[in-house]
């Protein structure tokens, strides 16, 4: 998601009219991300990106704009809610959305399971009346209001309503309560069928209503959670009916505001959904891709062909890099495509400067493999720059009143010096996979341009400085160095530092000429000493030397993730409550710790080798959502609650990843807690009873945090499928080249084809593999279509995406008939 800006927000009723606004991203009503606060503005600019894997089903992706209030609860200005089935409409397009009004009647999520039975009863006097039995079985996914949900349901049929019991602390309540209503229409009993015409008319006019409420202790009364209205006429065909329904908002919400009264929000949403089969389905395509490094020439390989047919090289690079990293083939693959690109390069000064498949793949590898390296190297000083706010503006035109140009230059010089030093001293921490790639780039470049002694450095510096360190300094939020986009003053400081570091690392002959701005050229004179060039060369030599193993980084703890969560006391003290407390958690490649606040001394430290399993915890244990457990030796368990479902998934994934190689990892665990003398899941009474459920671990134990090889192959299949016309055109181009071997036809000149015969062979295999997978997907959809029932738990009545799907499938089957 890219959260751009909001405009024309309603003015604050106070004298200054401005607001301090922030925006949240929600799955239905669960907040998963929050932007920084933009102060004193009615057109706040956020410029923030957020990426996440969505760990559960949802109906709406919602964005709320809040006005911060120091004394009271922050007030909601408005929201944008995009239905899941509409996300594809806005895919990867900047779109302005009107903010909608928010009230309790429009904030609805969750579903209810209902059973209705209409029966005829003959009274003692021989009169027939109709009785309705309404059974409220359960609800799922109700919203949590102010941190809690104590739901109950009311059922109404023309008259006073009946009410279920309140279920405390759950948003998935099981009621299983039945209510009886008399639908009276006395008539002489004359036939065994259903109702006579008059009866039917009467029943048809009636509707049963189920309302869900949150029992609140506040003076404002109970909160409405959603409703369901069902006319009884559909019981005409069958006297009993049972189904799941999506809860609906009430119609009587406050509709007086015009939609444009609240302003608008600019968003760009990129939403992808992968339907991934089991591994064996992908073997032919995956094997073809993984062979790419060994194909001669590499331009005839499946991976290179993907780069040729995709509209953007980035599209191809992301899944390819993740796939090759997963199978440990990234270095030979990048070496092969880089070598081919170097051979095509005529001028050593333009080496790796284009947006080729090679440069995009190396960028992506550095992002995945080098994230921890950036954290260790840059994060401490970036944090300081963001917090201290020293003025570093050196453009005389942009100086504010009272600022001193010399002081600013000195501030900036110190920052550049410190960042330059930490980068050039960090060679031993550079990840092995990056060093191996840099070694092959250096060798290729030196062999191709033997007369140019600097090319072995520029080939590597064009990546490590220009495409790794400089962008991370410029936009630290995109590299997870800061949670939010920096404020304008800090952003300007980082821009100036990034420009200088980029030039220092580029090793070009006349540095000052690189700058269009004269103030930058004169500032750069500080760094025109030989010691800076020597430091860069020594650093580049170290990170691109052959056989260099990453021995030091093992000793150095690397911060992987940190943040506040709530944990349950582990009962280390003999006496004392096992209560829940908010703590600052920190995970490095050595240990998992928690402390009272960020920067405090750890209250507890768990060495990574003592993490035997990390698993979700069933909600029933403590009536709390998004909980997981970290299991340690002697069955000691730390129970933790994350802030939302996305955070919980992130923590579980990364903790599982770092503890994957532990020799004593468990194979079974208890999905619920040990409370009141027994395990809630299997009812065993001994607290050291072995687990009752197999562990879900099994992630690969290498650098890739959560790469799924099958999913990446599925993504590559989707891309090949999308660009099938281009694959066919490329086949034609191979044919025409093989036959005529003459001048290239204009329409084929966009493809790199070094060996038409080999390329044709690979294309044939790709098209066959994609065709087979396409048939499998179509068959799966047909089977699913046959088995799926509307009104089931997976597809409740009111599920618009399912109705669309039904329509599409009906069209497809009608077409095939």
């Amino acid at each position: 998601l890219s959260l751009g800006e909001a405009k024309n927000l309603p003015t604050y009723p106070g004298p200054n009219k401005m607001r301090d606004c922030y925006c949240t991203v929600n799955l239905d009503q669960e907040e998963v991300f929050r932007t920084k606060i933009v102060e004193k503005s009615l057109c706040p600019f956020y410029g923030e990106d957020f990426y996440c894997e969505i760990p559960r089903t949802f109906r709406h992706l919602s964005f709320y704009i809040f006005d911060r209030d120091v004394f009271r609860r922050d007030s909601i200005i408005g929201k944008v809610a995009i239905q899941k089935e509409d996300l594809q409409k806005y895919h990867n397009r900047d779109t302005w959305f009107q903010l909608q009004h928010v009230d309790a009647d429009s904030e609805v999520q969750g579903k209810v399971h209902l059973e209705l039975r209409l029966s005829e009863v003959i009274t003692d006097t021989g009169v027939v009346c109709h009785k309705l039995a309404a059974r409220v079985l359960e609800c799922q996914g109700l919203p949590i209001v102010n941190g809690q949900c104590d739901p109950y349901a009311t059922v109404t049929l023309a008259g006073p309503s009946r009410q279920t019991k309140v279920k405390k602390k759950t948003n998935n309540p099981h009621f299983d309560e039945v209510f009886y209503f008399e639908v009276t229409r006395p008539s002489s009993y004359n036939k065994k069928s259903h109702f006579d015409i008059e009866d039917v008319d009467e029943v048809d006019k009636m509707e049963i209503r189920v309302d869900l409420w949150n029992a609140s202790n506040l003076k404002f009364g109970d909160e409405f959670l959603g409703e369901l209205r069902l006319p009884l006429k559909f019981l005409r065909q069958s006297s009993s009916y049972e189904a799941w329904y999506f809860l609906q908002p009430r119609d009587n919400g406050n509709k007086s505001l015009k939609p444009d009264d609240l302003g608008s929000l600019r968003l760009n949403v990129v939403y992808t959904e992968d339907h991934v089969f089991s591994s064996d389905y992908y073997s032919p395509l995956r094997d073809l891709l993984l062979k790419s490094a060994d194909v001669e020439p590499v331009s005839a390989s499946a991976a290179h062909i993907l780069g040729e047919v995709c509209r953007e090289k980035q599209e191809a690079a992301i899944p390819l890099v993740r796939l090759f990293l997963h199978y440990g083939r990234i270095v030979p693959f990048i070496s092969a495509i880089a070598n081919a690109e170097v051979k095509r390069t005529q001028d050593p000064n333009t080496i790796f400067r284009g947006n080729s498949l090679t440069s995009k793949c190396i960028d992506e590898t550095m992002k995945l493999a080098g994230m921890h390296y950036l954290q260790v190297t840059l994060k401490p000083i970036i944090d300081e720059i963001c917090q201290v706010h020293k003025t570093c503006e050196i453009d005389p035109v942009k100086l504010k009143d009272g600022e001193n140009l010399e002081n600013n230059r000195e501030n900036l010089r110190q920052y550049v010096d410190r960042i330059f030093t930490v980068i050039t001293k960090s060679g031993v921490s550079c990840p092995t996979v990056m060093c191996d790639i840099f070694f092959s780039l250096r060798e290729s470049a030196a062999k191709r341009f033997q007369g140019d002694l600097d090319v072995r450095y520029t080939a590597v510096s064009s990546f490590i400085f220009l495409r790794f360190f400089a962008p991370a300094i410029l936009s630290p939020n995109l590299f997870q160095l800061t949670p939010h986009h920096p404020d304008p003053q800090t952003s300007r400081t980082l821009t100036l530092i990034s420009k200088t570091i980029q030039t220092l690392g580029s090793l070009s002959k006349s540095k000052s000429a690189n700058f269009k701005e004269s103030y930058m050229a004169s500032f750069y004179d500080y760094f025109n000493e030989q010691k800076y060039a020597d430091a860069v060369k020594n650093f580049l030599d170290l990170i691109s030397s052959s056989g260099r193993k990453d021995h030091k980084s093992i000793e150095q703890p690397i911060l992987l993730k940190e943040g506040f969560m709530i944990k349950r006391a582990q009962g280390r003290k003999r006496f004392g409550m096992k209560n829940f407390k908010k703590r600052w958690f920190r995970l490095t490649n050595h240990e998992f710790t928690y402390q009272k606040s960020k920067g405090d001394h750890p209250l507890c430290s768990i060495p990574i080798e003592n993490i035997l399993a990390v698993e979700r915890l069933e909600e029933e244990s403590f009536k709390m959502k998004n909980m997981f457990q970290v299991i340690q030796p002697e069955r000691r368990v730390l129970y933790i609650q994350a802030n939302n479902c996305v955070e919980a998934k992130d923590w579980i994934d990364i903790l599982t990843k770092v503890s994957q190689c532990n020799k004593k990892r468990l194979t079974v665990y208890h999905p619920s807690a040990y409370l009141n003398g027994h395990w809630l899941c299997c009812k065993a009474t001994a607290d050291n009873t072995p687990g009752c459920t197999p562990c879900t671990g099994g992630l690969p134990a290498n650098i890739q945090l959560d790469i799924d090889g099958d999913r990446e192959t599925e993504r590559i299949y989707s891309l090949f499928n999308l660009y099938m016309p281009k694959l066919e055109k490329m086949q034609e181009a191979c044919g025409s080249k093989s036959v005529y071997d003459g001048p290239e036809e204009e329409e084929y000149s966009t493809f790199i084809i070094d060996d038409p015969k080999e390329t044709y062979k690979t294309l044939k295999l790709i098209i066959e593999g994609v065709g087979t997978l396409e048939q499998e997907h179509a068959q799966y959809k047909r089977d699913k279509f046959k088995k799926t029932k509307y009104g089931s738990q997976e597809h409740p009545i009111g599920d618009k995406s399912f109705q669309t799907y039904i329509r599409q499938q009906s069209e497809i089957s009608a077409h095939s008939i």
Side-chain angles (χ1 to χ4, degrees):
L1 305 169
S2 291
L3 294 141
E5 60 198 298
K7 66 179 183 187
N8 304 331
L9 298 180
T11 55
Y12 187 70
N16 69 6
K17 301 197 180 313
M18 291 294 153
R19 293 181 181 269
D20 300 341
C21 297
Y22 61 91
C23 181
T24 67
V25 179
N26 298 53
L27 290 175
D28 295 321
Q29 283 162 258
E30 181 183 11
E31 183 183 316
V32 294
F33 178 72
R34 179 180 290 208
T35 66
K36 63 176 184 291
I37 294 168
V38 177
E39 296 184 340
K40 298 185 178 63
S41 173
L42 296 177
C43 296
F45 176 78
Y46 297 110
E48 297 202 26
D49 294 338
F50 172 64
Y51 167 84
C52 79
E53 294 279 336
I54 299 177
R56 63 170 178 82
T57 55
F58 68 102
R59 286 172 72 192
H60 291 94
L61 183 64
S62 305
F63 303 83
Y64 292 81
I65 292 195
F66 285 86
D67 185 9
R68 179 184 59 177
D69 193 316
V70 182
F71 303 108
R72 294 195 301 273
R73 213 162 78 199
D74 298 350
S75 55
I76 298 182
I77 295 172
K79 74 167 180 182
V80 170
I82 308 173
Q83 286 190 329
K84 181 184 173 182
E85 50 273 21
D86 291 340
L87 284 169
Q88 219 47 47
K89 263 194 249 173
Y90 306 108
H91 180 75
N92 207 4
R93 292 199 343 237
D94 261 14
T95 311
W96 282 98
F97 292 91
Q98 292 290 345
L99 287 171
Q100 303 297 319
H101 197 64
V102 177
D103 57 27
D105 297 327
S106 67
E107 292 290 273
V108 167
Q109 67 177 58
K111 51 192 174 185
V112 58
H113 189 188
L114 200 62
E115 189 180 339
L116 299 175
R117 191 180 296 277
L118 194 59
S119 48
E120 292 180 339
V121 180
I122 308 171
T123 63
D124 297 342
T125 57
V127 172
V128 177
C129 36
H130 306 131
K131 268 200 171 162
L132 174 73
R135 184 178 176 204
V136 184
L137 288 124
E138 60 180 310
C139 294
Q140 278 189 347
L142 299 177
I144 291 173
V145 184
N146 302 331
Q148 57 104 43
C149 188
D150 299 336
Y152 67 90
T154 61
V155 186
T156 315
L157 179 81
S161 62
R162 321 282 173 84
Q163 182 179 322
T164 64
K165 292 188 179 77
V166 173
K167 299 290 178 181
K168 289 282 189 185
K169 291 189 178 170
T170 174
N171 65 338
N172 299 320
H174 285 262
F175 296 113
D176 201 2
E177 294 187 39
V178 186
F179 302 100
Y180 295 98
F181 298 91
E182 281 195 4
V183 187
T184 45
R185 172 78 178 165
S187 63
S188 55
Y189 186 65
N190 53 10
K191 53 185 173 184
K192 292 269 190 303
S193 76
H194 274 49
F195 324 112
D196 59 29
I197 297 303
E198 293 166 285
D199 288 330
V200 170
D201 283 350
E202 191 68 23
V203 171
D204 275 3
K205 289 175 193 162
M206 303 186 86
E207 112 181 321
I208 187 156
R209 201 175 89 216
V210 180
D211 292 275
L212 264 292
W213 298 87
N214 180 29
S216 166
N217 302 324
L218 301 172
K219 57 185 176 193
F220 305 114
D222 296 349
E223 283 117 342
F224 172 77
L225 300 180
E227 72 168 17
L228 178 64
R229 290 169 179 254
L230 293 174
L232 291 191
K233 63 181 170 195
F234 71 85
L235 288 170
R236 196 191 295 185
Q237 275 76 31
S238 151
S239 58
S240 114
Y241 195 79
E242 176 255 331
W244 282 85
Y245 295 87
F246 271 136
L247 288 167
Q248 301 298 332
R250 261 199 305 226
D251 295 331
N252 65 346
N254 186 350
K255 297 286 185 276
S256 59
L257 279 169
K258 292 202 291 292
D260 56 355
D261 283 350
L262 298 173
S264 50
L265 178 65
R266 181 164 62 91
L267 300 168
N268 189 329
V269 180
V270 177
Y271 175 72
T272 49
E273 208 173 86
D274 297 317
H275 297 268
V276 186
F277 290 127
S278 56
S279 222
D280 46 330
Y281 283 86
Y282 297 106
S283 294
L285 185 58
R286 184 175 55 233
D287 295 346
L288 188 64
L289 288 157
L290 291 173
K291 257 189 353 206
S292 294
D294 308 320
V295 173
E296 280 287 333
V298 75
S299 60
S301 70
H304 194 280
I305 288 169
L306 182 67
E308 286 298 286
V309 296
C310 281
R311 199 164 52 94
E312 302 279 340
K313 299 277 188 248
Q314 181 85 353
E315 268 185 310
I318 292 173
L320 284 174
V321 163
R322 293 171 75 90
L323 183 73
F324 284 113
L325 262 174
H326 184 70
Y327 288 100
R329 300 283 295 147
I330 193 69
V331 177
F333 169 64
I334 286 182
S335 302
I337 56 174
N339 207 14
E341 185 175 324
V342 170
K343 282 180 183 161
R344 286 195 293 273
T345 306
Q346 300 305 316
D347 179 355
N349 294 318
T350 63
I351 197 162
F352 300 127
R353 287 301 165 93
N355 278 330
S356 60
L357 183 64
T358 309
S359 56
K360 289 295 181 193
C361 283
I362 296 175
D363 284 356
E364 202 52 41
T365 306
M366 292 192 301
K367 250 188 176 172
L368 279 169
M371 209 52 100
H372 309 327
Y373 176 36
L374 278 179
Q375 298 270 341
V376 175
T377 314
L378 293 182
K379 188 167 170 49
I381 190 160
I382 297 267
D383 283 346
E384 185 189 321
I385 292 168
C386 291
Q387 284 156 16
V388 176
H389 292 297
K390 276 187 186 171
T391 51
C392 297
E393 183 53 75
I394 57 169
D395 181 354
V397 180
K398 290 186 177 171
L399 277 189
K400 292 182 185 152
D401 291 344
E403 283 183 5
N404 181 306
L405 184 59
E406 278 314 306
N407 287 352
N408 289 6
R409 282 166 72 107
E410 181 54 25
N411 288 342
L412 186 61
R413 191 189 66 74
Q414 284 180 8
Y415 277 149
V416 171
D417 235 340
R418 283 172 61 194
I419 286 186
F420 179 79
T421 306
V422 295
I423 290 174
T424 50
K425 292 267 175 71
S426 71
V428 287
S429 307
C430 186
T432 311
V433 68
M434 283 167 64
C435 297
D436 292 346
I437 288 169
F438 295 150
F439 173 68
S440 77
L441 297 184
R442 175 191 177 119
E443 293 296 290
S444 284
K447 196 168 161 191
R448 171 83 171 88
F449 300 104
Q450 290 172 6
D452 189 326
L453 295 177
D454 275 344
V455 75
R456 65 186 61 198
Y457 295 116
T458 51
V460 177
S461 72
S462 64
F463 286 104
I464 193 79
F465 280 102
L466 273 65
R467 305 176 82 117
F468 185 62
F469 282 122
I473 296 165
L474 185 67
S475 306
N477 55 308
L478 298 184
F479 290 81
Q480 294 167 23
L481 295 172
T482 57
H484 300 299
H485 191 69
D487 62 81
Q489 185 190 320
T490 308
S491 221
R492 174 68 178 156
T493 301
L494 294 172
T495 303
L496 295 170
I497 296 170
S498 178
K499 277 185 175 183
T500 317
I501 291 291
Q502 192 170 326
T503 309
L504 272 167
S506 70
L507 288 169
S508 56
K509 307 288 184 286
S510 66
K511 300 292 179 75
S512 302
N514 278 6
F515 296 107
K516 299 186 199 90
E517 311 95 337
S518 56
Y519 62 85
M520 280 304 291
S522 63
F523 171 69
Y524 195 79
D525 291 341
Y526 283 131
F527 303 99
N528 244 339
E529 295 176 38
Q530 189 55 37
K531 67 172 185 178
Y532 289 103
D534 292 344
V536 169
K537 285 186 174 178
N538 289 339
F539 169 65
L540 295 173
D541 278 334
L542 181 59
I543 63 169
S544 61
S545 56
S546 159
R548 195 205 70 88
K549 283 300 159 212
D550 206 353
H551 53 90
K552 280 264 184 78
S553 68
I554 308 303
E555 284 91 68
Q556 186 174 22
I558 296 172
L559 177 66
L560 301 177
K561 190 168 174 62
E562 60 182 347
F564 274 115
M565 290 191 288
I566 291 167
K567 64 105 198 162
R568 182 178 187 250
Q570 297 182 81
R572 288 199 307 274
K573 295 178 186 162
R574 193 155 170 206
F575 303 105
M577 297 278 288
K578 285 194 179 182
N579 52 1
F580 286 89
K581 286 187 175 156
K582 192 173 183 179
R583 292 288 180 252
W584 181 264
F585 283 83
R586 211 165 174 276
L587 175 66
T588 70
N589 53 344
H590 290 184
E591 59 181 359
F592 182 46
T593 61
Y594 61 78
Q595 51 231 56
K596 263 196 174 165
S597 320
K598 189 176 181 177
D600 287 359
H601 188 73
L603 297 169
C604 170
S605 167
I606 303 170
I608 294 299
E609 59 271 19
N610 280 359
I611 297 178
L612 306 186
V614 184
E615 297 287 349
R616 293 189 177 282
L617 185 69
E618 285 178 357
E619 196 181 315
E620 287 306 303
S621 299
F622 299 107
K623 305 279 193 200
M624 290 162 72
K625 288 183 79 67
N626 304 320
M627 287 201 73
F628 63 95
Q629 48 183 321
V630 178
I631 306 169
Q632 303 157 62
E634 296 163 13
R635 302 273 165 201
R636 288 172 66 81
V637 186
L638 175 60
Y639 296 120
I640 303 172
Q641 184 187 33
N643 299 319
N644 56 59
C645 60
V646 171
E647 275 285 289
K649 182 185 187 300
D650 281 354
W651 275 106
I652 292 168
D653 283 353
I654 198 163
L655 280 162
T656 304
K657 152 79 179 72
V658 294
S659 59
Q660 192 69 50
C661 299
N662 293 347
K663 292 185 175 64
K664 295 180 180 172
R665 273 190 72 82
L666 296 178
T667 52
V668 288
Y669 78 107
H670 289 286
S672 287
Y674 182 78
L675 291 173
N676 306 325
H678 68 274
W679 292 99
L680 298 182
C681 38
C682 57
K683 304 293 182 271
T685 50
D687 63 353
N688 60 355
T689 308
C692 56
T693 305
C695 285
T696 56
L699 288 171
N702 35 19
I703 166 184
Q704 313 77 41
L705 288 186
D706 54 352
I707 296 176
D708 176 337
D710 299 328
R711 181 178 178 171
E712 302 309 329
T713 316
E714 168 65 30
R715 174 63 47 83
I716 291 168
Y717 146 75
S718 303
L719 287 169
F720 274 138
N721 204 18
L722 179 66
Y723 293 112
M724 188 54 78
K726 278 197 174 181
L727 286 170
E728 288 161 352
K729 185 142 263 174
M730 203 170 177
Q731 252 189 337
E732 282 175 34
C734 290
S736 77
K737 276 194 157 194
S738 303
V739 176
Y740 301 118
D741 205 25
E744 242 174 52
E745 284 190 45
E746 190 59 39
E747 59 177 321
Y748 301 146
S749 62
T750 50
F751 302 122
I752 293 173
I753 301 172
D754 297 318
D755 183 330
K757 273 190 178 168
E758 275 302 310
T759 310
Y760 188 90
K761 270 192 220 165
T762 309
L763 281 161
K764 192 165 177 287
L765 290 170
I766 291 171
I767 290 167
E768 279 170 13
V770 168
T772 307
L773 275 169
E774 200 178 354
Q775 283 171 355
E776 294 291 356
H777 276 282
Q779 186 59 48
Y780 172 79
K781 280 181 178 170
R782 283 196 293 273
D783 294 347
K784 188 174 177 221
F785 178 62
K786 281 176 197 160
K787 289 177 198 160
T788 307
K789 177 174 169 253
Y790 192 42
S792 64
Q793 193 170 350
E794 295 76 39
H795 299 288
I797 293 170
D799 181 354
K800 290 190 181 152
S801 58
F802 182 68
Q803 289 167 312
T804 312
Y805 174 70
I806 292 275
R807 199 166 52 247
Q808 287 168 349
Q809 292 304 313
S810 308
E811 284 163 12
I812 290 166
S813 48
H815 179 67
S816 58
I817 289 162

